[in-house]
Amino acid sequence: QQPVQSPQAVILREGEDAVINCSSSKALYSVHWYRQKHGEAPVFLMILLKGGEQKGHEKISASFNEKKQQSSLYLTASQLSYSGTYFCGTEQGGSEKLVFGKGTKLTVNP
Amino acid sequence: GAGVSQSPSNKVTEKGKDVELRCDPISGHTALYWYRQSLGQGLEFLIYFQGNSAPDKSGLPSDRFSAERTGGSVSTLTIQRTQQEDSAVYLCASSLQLGITGGYTFGSGTRLTVV
């Protein structure tokens, strides 16, 4: 079942913060986050495993609430290079494949 | 190879013709996935290969779609009697062990246009 991402789109000024949410109606084994720039392949950012551990990658971090079947991606002090479409991919029940949300388009302006 | 390689990068075909899309995963990656991305849409799962196990074909949209993986490495996705709704970017990804060592590494995709 496809996870739901929100918001669908967000526009920021450089230096501002953003939160992207991903929720599922099914129990999750893991949540992955990817960023795709226009015309390019999606690039892996991070993985959140069961246990609620918060992971970080530069100024981008994420959390995973397995009880609520939700994950959030936090982008702090955004940079122009953060622009792109962010996808969450959920692994349900140890299926070893990801079901992706429809994506959140992030635009960072100077 | 250093990354996931897909060919061709672009393919224009006439409706009703068959097409073959190729994916060469990262050496040593046992898992290989095919996804489809239509304009403005998310990534739609098609098929998954893991080692010598039977593939998970649950995402193939019709029996016109098939895929094989030879020798646990290169994979070919075949679409028979192409339709206009098959137009999309077809992405291949590979991974070492999903969920443990990390995520997918995607190829650059094949943009298929059916005219």
Side-chain angles (χ1 to χ4, degrees):
Chain A
Q1 204 137 5
Q2 188 176 40
V4 177
Q5 287 186 235
S6 63
Q8 291 183 333
V10 59
I11 299 174
L12 301 174
R13 285 195 178 273
E14 205 172 0
E16 292 181 338
D17 301 341
V19 180
I20 300 171
N21 300 301
C22 174
S23 64
S24 174
S25 59
K26 290 213 166 191
L28 300 177
Y29 188 78
S30 68
V31 179
H32 298 223
W33 287 96
Y34 292 78
R35 177 171 62 208
Q36 184 178 33
K37 293 185 178 286
H38 184 69
E40 299 180 8
V43 173
F44 173 70
L45 293 177
M46 66 187 75
I47 177 174
L48 287 301
L49 300 175
K50 284 175 70 172
E53 183 182 352
Q54 187 155 345
K55 296 251 180 180
H57 176 76
E58 298 176 343
K59 293 180 182 175
I60 301 174
S61 61
S63 63
F64 177 25
N65 185 326
E66 59 194 80
K67 281 188 179 178
K68 292 186 177 180
Q69 295 153 197
Q70 292 177 347
S71 177
S72 295
L73 185 70
Y74 307 94
L75 301 106
T76 57
S78 59
Q79 304 170 13
L80 297 177
S81 62
Y82 287 2
S83 292
T85 301
Y86 290 77
F87 292 97
C88 69
T90 57
E91 184 186 0
Q92 299 162 5
S95 64
E96 295 189 351
K97 65 176 186 278
L98 297 180
V99 179
F100 287 91
K102 291 190 174 181
T104 296
K105 185 174 182 180
L106 177 74
T107 304
V108 181
N109 292 321
Chain B
V4 177
S5 178
Q6 290 189 246
S7 61
S9 55
N10 279 286
K11 177 73 177 178
V12 180
T13 190
E14 291 181 353
K15 179 181 171 182
K17 294 279 180 72
D18 299 351
V19 294
E20 284 189 351
L21 312 179
R22 177 190 166 101
C23 173
D24 198 345
I26 291 174
S27 178
H29 278 194
T30 55
L32 186 148
Y33 308 81
W34 283 98
Y35 285 80
R36 178 168 72 175
Q37 187 172 31
S38 302
L39 188 63
Q41 297 298 308
L43 299 150
E44 177 190 3
F45 168 76
L46 297 176
I47 189 169
Y48 157 50
F49 296 90
Q50 173 60 276
N52 295 320
S53 302
D56 177 350
K57 304 179 183 180
S58 60
L60 295 178
S62 78
D63 58 10
R64 297 187 294 105
F65 288 73
S66 63
E68 62 176 20
R69 188 179 185 190
T70 53
S73 182
V74 172
S75 176
T76 302
L77 177 70
T78 301
I79 308 173
Q80 295 179 312
R81 305 181 302 282
T82 51
Q83 304 294 314
Q84 288 188 326
E85 60 263 27
D86 299 335
S87 296
V89 176
Y90 288 81
L91 290 164
C92 174
S94 69
S95 71
L96 188 56
Q97 192 169 4
L98 191 69
I100 305 297
T101 59
Y104 294 168
T105 300
F106 282 93
S108 297
T110 294
R111 181 176 298 277
L112 176 67
T113 305
V114 182
V115 297

